[in-house]
Amino acid sequence: MAAPRPLPVRVSGVIMPASIQDLEALRALTALFKEQRNRETAPRTIFQRVLDILKKSSQTVELACRNPAQVEHLASSLQLITECFRCLRNACIECFVNQNSIRNLDTIGVAVDLILLFRELRVEQESLLTAFRCGLQFLGNIASRNEDSQSVVWLHAFPELFLSCLNHPDKKIVAYSSMILFTSLNASRIKELEENLNIAINVIEAHQKHPESEWPFLIITDHFLKSPELVQAMYAKMSNQERITLLDIIIAKVMADEPLTKDEVPVFLSHAQLLASTFVDQCRVVLKLTSERHTDDEEAMATIRLLDVLCEMTANSDLLGYLQVYPGLLERVVDLLRLIHVAGMDSTSIFSSCGYVKAEGTVSNMAEGFKSHLIRLIGNMCYKNKDNQDKVSEMDGIPLILDSCSLDDSNPFLTQWVVYAIRNLTEDNSQNQDLIAKMEEQGLADASLLKKMGFEVEKRGDKLILKSTSDTPQL
């Protein structure tokens, strides 16, 4: 491809400044590089010329950083910088040769230094933001599918560029810097993030603030969740709101249509260990919600989301077995169910069946479904596991679960989960079946309630038999 012809130095008898000639030439190149055939035939000398213009223009930005009064004189330099980045960005699209040529000129280092200067300026002119965005787009394109370029980008950009950009108020800058991070990350660089946890946490914040942006989400699902060590280190340092965001993503991953791969299962078992351990240690903080002063307690809300994750993990056959035998988990869940059940007897409690009304008159739903999820987790953990069935019985958990089966505005699916838990507690367990049958005979279990749940007690000689009715449970 031939370089675009420079414009004449005189237009209507007026000498045209070199910067305008450069700008017009750059715009012509940017347009030419939209075509693949032009990208593939571009001589290396063009990129050297673009780099020279970029370096010269960046001097004005350096002056403005040292003397804020110079900011107002940045307009023409920012135009040139923007067009340089656009030109380089387009030249790198699906063109390995251009990526290498541009990288070998050390253009990446110049670009990163310039972008860091933009952040230092702390001004929000649209022309500056445009140059900022184009610079990041260039870095993303030169690193795309090119490991050598990814290494050089990482060398220059980590950690300062990511620390500067991931929390930027401009959502496009956040998205483009996330794209660069996603493209550059690999297993060894994830280890470096463990020493720079603020970058990882900034990604969580970026997803929290910009859920519509795919790049922060992909960084978390495709990189972070593959490293149990990173997740554990992040979880210890994150705020509770950030933890809730991470837990929501873990739930989405576990519930996805595509099952966990063979490589993912061991990793998610490690995540399960972290989350189960955290729940066992901290689950009682949920009881803070019984106090009006703590109805917006984020630590309690993070613990509620932990319960949601454990419910989904125990619904996964690859993770269930590990969690069924996790030390102390089942006991904690049964104990917490008992405490929540007692707390719910107070009509002013957030766990009351009549709901909790705040002073401003809105019904709080922060603990919506909490009791039903506790019962669901007990049911999951007792699935085809006699040791756990017996353990719940020994803790008087069966009467507790049966007593929970009542109309409850805040637990719309409570009856379904009670039915599910009782079926799992009594499957191939005659001792638990006998217990429920005797409770019905002694008036401790409501026969109409059992029938509603799909069970009935039948007397055969001296024996009481709990059996499933043919009727579908009335839910």
Side-chain angles (χ1 to χ4, degrees), residues 283-422:
C283 64
R284 290 199 174 201
V285 302
V286 174
L287 297 173
K288 288 182 181 180
L289 296 179
T290 59
S291 167
E292 186 173 349
R293 292 183 298 109
H294 294 285
T295 52
D296 59 350
D297 190 280
E298 288 189 350
E299 185 181 13
M301 295 312 301
T303 304
I304 288 174
R305 189 65 85 247
L306 269 176
L307 175 62
D308 298 341
V309 180
L310 291 172
C311 282
E312 297 304 335
M313 284 185 160
T314 51
N316 184 297
S317 59
D318 292 318
L319 308 178
L320 172 61
Y322 175 81
L323 289 169
Q324 282 181 315
V325 298
Y326 189 84
L329 178 58
L330 182 59
E331 293 88 342
R332 271 285 193 270
V333 176
V334 175
D335 283 340
L336 188 57
L337 176 61
R338 182 174 286 108
L339 293 169
I340 295 300
H341 189 60
V342 172
M345 294 177 183
D346 181 350
S347 62
T348 64
S349 168
I350 197 172
F351 298 109
S352 168
S353 62
C354 60
Y356 177 77
V357 181
K358 288 185 174 180
E360 61 269 27
T362 59
V363 177
S364 171
N365 65 353
M366 287 186 297
E368 182 178 355
F370 185 69
K371 186 190 290 186
S372 62
H373 284 194
L374 287 172
I375 294 171
R376 178 189 178 190
L377 183 53
I378 293 171
N380 285 354
M381 295 187 70
C382 291
Y383 178 71
K384 298 185 183 300
N385 188 305
K386 191 171 185 305
D387 288 342
N388 284 353
Q389 291 172 339
D390 294 342
K391 191 177 293 183
V392 173
S393 179
E394 291 163 7
M395 296 181 69
D396 293 327
I398 292 176
L400 174 65
I401 292 170
L402 286 171
D403 198 32
S404 298
C405 191
S406 60
L407 292 177
D408 190 332
D409 293 335
S410 65
N411 289 276
F413 302 111
L414 181 61
T415 300
Q416 291 95 317
W417 291 121
V418 169
V419 172
Y420 170 77
I422 292 298

Side-chain angles (χ1 to χ4, degrees), residues 74-136:
L74 280 176
S76 60
S77 294
L78 287 176
Q79 276 189 313
L80 282 169
I81 290 168
T82 298
E83 211 56 52
C84 283
F85 281 143
R86 282 177 176 151
C87 174
L88 295 169
R89 175 197 67 190
N90 287 6
C92 289
I93 297 172
E94 296 181 359
C95 190
F96 193 75
V97 172
N98 287 354
Q99 288 176 324
N100 293 343
S101 295
I102 294 168
R103 181 189 70 244
N104 292 336
L105 292 170
D106 195 30
T107 312
I108 292 174
V110 174
V112 170
D113 290 344
L114 189 49
I115 288 168
L116 291 174
L117 287 175
F118 289 159
R119 190 66 167 127
E120 194 176 321
L121 282 173
R122 301 289 178 184
V123 294
E124 301 301 330
Q125 294 177 3
E126 188 60 33
S127 57
L128 177 63
L129 287 175
T130 301
F132 202 148
R133 294 166 189 159
C134 289
L136 292 172

Side-chain angles (χ1 to χ4, degrees), residues 183-202:
T183 302
S184 303
L185 275 174
N186 58 26
S188 64
R189 292 171 193 145
I190 282 288
K191 293 290 183 185
E192 294 184 58
L193 283 184
E194 293 176 33
E195 304 300 322
N196 291 270
L197 286 175
N198 285 340
I199 292 176
I201 293 172
N202 283 348

Side-chain angles (χ1 to χ4, degrees), residues 270-291:
S270 294
H271 297 328
Q273 189 278 330
L274 169 67
L275 302 182
S277 171
T278 305
F279 187 82
V280 168
D281 291 341
Q282 301 179 6
C283 64
R284 290 199 174 201
V285 302
V286 174
L287 297 173
K288 288 182 181 180
L289 296 179
T290 59
S291 167

Side-chain angles (χ1 to χ4, degrees), residues 186-240:
N186 58 26
S188 64
R189 292 171 193 145
I190 282 288
K191 293 290 183 185
E192 294 184 58
L193 283 184
E194 293 176 33
E195 304 300 322
N196 291 270
L197 286 175
N198 285 340
I199 292 176
I201 293 172
N202 283 348
V203 173
I204 301 292
E205 291 177 355
H207 175 67
Q208 198 175 321
K209 293 176 183 175
H210 310 289
E212 73 286 352
S213 178
E214 64 175 341
W215 294 112
F217 179 80
L218 289 173
I219 292 170
I220 299 166
T221 57
D222 291 13
H223 291 294
F224 291 1
L225 291 186
K226 292 181 178 179
S227 173
E229 296 81 10
L230 177 62
V231 169
Q232 183 173 358
M234 289 170 60
Y235 201 87
K237 193 173 179 181
M238 287 191 296
S239 70
N240 285 302

